Amino acid sequence: MSDQTFYDFSAKTITGEEQSMSTYQGKVVLVVNVASKCGFTPQYEGLQKLYEDHQDKGLVILGFPCDQFKHQEPGTEEEIATFCKTNYGVTFPLFSKINVNGKETHPLYTYLKDSLPGLAGKSIKWNFTKFLVSADGTPIKRYGSKVKPSEIEADILAELAKTEA
């Protein structure tokens, strides 16, 4: 593995600006590949709740729309942003649509998958796979799609407690 850290990457926001991950230095970050027409889409509600409950303690959630799984994120960036805001009140940062598998995999996801391979190896199996990144930029835990945001809260709180120490 290279000497790269989470903070060495950037991605386009859902409104088109390039955003460096270094913006989130010192924060506990949950990175999620999201989709609007997936059976797991209601997890947006739990993700937003985590964000609202813990953003003031240093949590940030980053949503990366992905259309690689059965075309479950067909919309434009504008449609995705509107859907998330209207249906789930999402206020955490959303990014432009990316690929999480294959030749066109976004470099951030290549890094995350290399750092934390899952049960299926390095590939992402489905929407709403989650990566927890510590406040120092180290990917520390990967969660499958079926893991609800509320089930991750204890791990998030443990990481946030380290930032207060």
Side-chain angles (χ1 to χ4, degrees):
M1 203 184 317
S2 71
D3 292 333
Q4 285 184 304
T5 73
F6 179 77
Y7 304 125
D8 294 327
F9 296 92
S10 67
K12 271 197 182 16
T13 66
I14 201 144
T15 52
E17 297 88 39
E18 198 64 29
Q19 177 75 61
S20 171
M21 294 303 118
S22 65
T23 304
Y24 308 112
Q25 207 147 1
K27 297 204 178 280
V28 173
V29 181
L30 188 66
V31 179
V32 189
N33 61 304
V34 296
S36 302
K37 298 186 183 318
C38 173
F40 297 112
T41 301
Q43 286 191 20
Y44 268 125
E45 191 174 326
L47 292 169
Q48 180 61 28
K49 180 168 180 9
L50 281 177
Y51 186 61
E52 287 172 5
D53 291 352
H54 305 297
Q55 70 177 1
D56 59 337
K57 299 178 197 101
L59 173 68
V60 67
I61 295 173
L62 307 180
F64 286 87
C66 176
D67 193 35
Q68 287 190 288
F69 304 102
K70 293 202 175 182
H71 200 46
Q72 294 184 339
E73 190 60 278
T76 63
E77 268 71 13
E78 193 175 327
E79 289 167 340
I80 294 165
T82 300
F83 172 86
C84 291
K85 187 88 180 129
T86 304
N87 293 289
Y88 296 100
V90 168
T91 57
F92 57 82
L94 293 170
F95 289 80
S96 289
K97 220 187 292 192
I98 63 163
N99 284 342
V100 297
N101 289 327
K103 282 190 239 143
E104 304 292 319
T105 298
H106 190 282
L108 176 61
Y109 265 81
T110 300
Y111 168 73
L112 290 170
K113 294 187 307 179
D114 285 349
S115 300
L116 296 168
L119 296 175
K122 289 187 182 174
S123 69
I124 302 283
K125 277 175 63 175
W126 204 251
N127 301 308
F128 290 89
T129 296
K130 302 156 203 73
F131 291 91
L132 187 60
V133 180
S134 70
D136 70 3
T138 306
I140 49 171
K141 201 146 184 200
R142 176 176 175 158
Y143 308 89
S145 306
K146 291 180 182 168
V147 178
K148 294 180 178 76
S150 59
E151 297 172 62
I152 300 171
E153 191 166 24
D155 291 344
I156 290 170
L157 289 171
E159 283 306 307
L160 290 170
K162 292 176 190 174
T163 64
E164 294 166 8

